[in-house]
């Protein structure tokens, strides 16, 4: 075979090699069947005699896997103990610490760690408690622990609904007190209260309590 | 054969070897990371770097 004769053959080999490379790419990118640039289409281009002769089966792809729907909710224990708060100003840290423990995000978490993570004394201190009543710093700490959250000034009905499917922290402006919310209890909210009895509220927050002590800033977890 | 032809054949041989290794990686379920299909693709076609959107088979 002369050198001149090899040119077209090498060109064809080049094209086939490129096609094989594209086939690998299609496999890696999960394009197994259908229109180009799927593996199936490229295979037929490589060898047209395969048309109608192969029975493609697409594997289960990583992108098809269901999202981690369970996440923290699979580990959530609404009955997680809420100890009495160690001082008058750290209710927000107690509520945050409770959420981190109850969700399993940080099972061994402590109130002292929560105070440090919120940021003492710029964001939480003995004079004012939590400085930002919206809970922005609580959300930041939750995010740092891998928990996505949202915040809103919500109605009782909205919080009651949320309590059926998630948890979080909330603070009544007239209450000046943060608690965790565990879930629903009949028509009421079941809360994790580090100052049981304060303003007449223990572990249950009724609609009347909510209206008396609000409005409420609610930081609730997403899942 | 001329030098150019020799070079092209050598390149094809190298690419074929890489393709073969990539196929073996696919067979073994190594799609990303060291010694993976993705890695061999970058070796075969460096211009693919940053262009791929892997969605490999799931073995879970």
């Amino acid at each position: 075979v002369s050198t001149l004769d090899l040119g077209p053959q090498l060109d064809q080999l080049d094209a086939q090699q490129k096609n094989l490379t594209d086939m690998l790419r299609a496999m890696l990118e999960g394009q197994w069947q259908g229109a180009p640039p799927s593996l199936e289409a490229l295979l037929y281009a490589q060898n047209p005699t395969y048309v109608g002769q192969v029975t493609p089966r697409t594997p289960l792809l990583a992108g098809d896997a269901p999202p981690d729907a369970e996440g923290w909710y699979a580990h959530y224990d609404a009955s997680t103990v809420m100890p009495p708060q160690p001082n008058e100003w750290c209710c927000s840290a107690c509520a945050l610490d409770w959420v981190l423990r109850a969700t399993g995000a940080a099972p061994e978490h402590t109130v002292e760690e929560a105070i440090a993570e919120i940021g003492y004394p710029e964001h939480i201190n003995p004079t004012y408690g939590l400085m930002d009543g919206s809970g922005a710093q609580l959300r930041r700490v939750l995010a740092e622990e891998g928990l996505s959250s949202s915040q809103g000034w919500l109605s009782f009905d909205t919080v009651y609904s949320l309590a059926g499917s998630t948890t979080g922290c909330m603070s009544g402006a007239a209450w000046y007190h943060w608690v965790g919310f565990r879930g629903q209890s009949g028509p009421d909210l079941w809360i994790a209260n580090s100052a049981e009895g304060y303003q007449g509220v223990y572990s249950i927050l009724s609609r009347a309590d909510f209206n008396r002590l609000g409005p409420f800033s609610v930081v609730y977890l997403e899942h | 054969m001329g030098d150019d032809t020799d070079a092209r054949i050598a390149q094809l041989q190298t690419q074929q070897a890489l393709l073969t290794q990539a196929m073996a990686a696919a067979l073994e379920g190594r799609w990303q990371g060291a010694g993976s299909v993705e890695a061999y693709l970058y070796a075969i076609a460096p211009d693919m770097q940053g262009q791929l959107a892997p969605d490999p088979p799931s073995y879970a």
Side-chain angles (χ1 to χ4, degrees):
Chain A
V1 180
S2 73
T3 301
L4 286 177
D5 292 334
L6 283 177
Q9 294 176 51
L10 290 174
D11 290 344
Q12 185 180 32
L13 284 169
D14 269 336
Q16 289 174 339
Q17 208 108 301
K18 181 184 180 309
N19 206 40
L20 285 168
T21 304
D22 289 341
M23 289 162 73
L24 271 176
R25 176 179 182 166
M27 292 162 67
L28 177 63
E29 294 188 327
Q31 301 179 73
W32 292 79
Q33 296 182 49
S38 72
L39 173 65
E40 181 185 19
L42 293 165
L43 180 66
Y44 295 155
Q46 185 83 355
N47 187 343
T49 67
Y50 279 145
V51 176
Q53 302 301 312
V54 296
T55 306
R57 292 182 63 200
T58 296
L60 180 64
L61 303 176
D64 297 332
D68 186 9
E70 297 189 338
W72 64 263
Y73 202 63
H75 311 284
Y76 176 53
D77 179 5
S79 299
T80 297
V81 171
M82 169 65 99
Q85 59 191 67
N87 56 55
E88 291 183 350
W89 50 270
C90 70
C91 55
S92 59
C94 291
L96 172 65
D97 173 61
W98 179 84
V99 170
L100 292 172
R101 288 185 292 110
T103 56
E108 305 301 322
H109 204 266
T110 66
V111 173
E112 290 71 25
E113 289 171 335
I115 292 170
E117 289 161 353
I118 292 169
Y120 180 91
E122 65 272 30
H123 296 306
I124 184 171
N125 56 61
T127 304
Y128 300 105
L130 186 68
M131 296 293 284
D132 182 345
S134 74
Q137 295 303 320
L138 305 185
R139 293 188 63 202
R140 176 184 54 77
V141 176
L142 290 170
E144 289 170 358
E145 296 287 351
L147 298 173
S148 299
S149 66
S150 294
Q151 184 274 339
W153 294 86
L154 306 179
S155 69
F156 178 84
D157 289 330
T158 302
V159 180
Y160 183 83
S161 175
L162 284 170
S165 61
T166 187
T167 186
C169 314
M170 62 184 191
S171 171
W175 201 9
Y176 208 67
H177 180 50
W178 281 88
V179 295
F181 59 94
R182 301 176 185 270
Q184 301 164 337
S185 178
D188 305 317
L189 291 169
W190 180 27
I191 61 173
N193 189 352
S194 59
E196 292 211 341
Y198 179 57
Q199 299 268 11
V201 177
Y202 290 83
S203 61
I204 297 297
L205 190 73
S206 68
R207 182 186 294 272
D209 292 329
F210 192 94
N211 293 335
R212 173 171 62 92
L213 301 170
F216 275 80
S217 173
V218 183
V219 172
Y220 55 98
L221 300 189
E222 297 167 353
H223 69 98
Chain B
M1 291 187 287
D3 289 345
D4 181 58
T5 301
D6 288 342
R8 290 187 64 184
I9 290 174
Q11 184 183 34
L12 284 165
Q13 287 173 331
T14 300
Q15 289 174 338
Q16 194 168 58
L18 290 168
L19 282 167
T20 304
Q21 292 176 81
M23 293 294 183
L27 182 62
E28 293 180 344
R30 287 181 282 113
W31 295 90
Q32 293 181 271
S36 69
V37 171
E38 184 180 24
Y40 285 119
L41 275 174
Y42 293 149
I44 296 165
D47 59 334
M48 281 190 183
Q49 293 200 39
Q51 305 299 314
L52 300 182
D55 187 11
S58 171
Y59 300 94

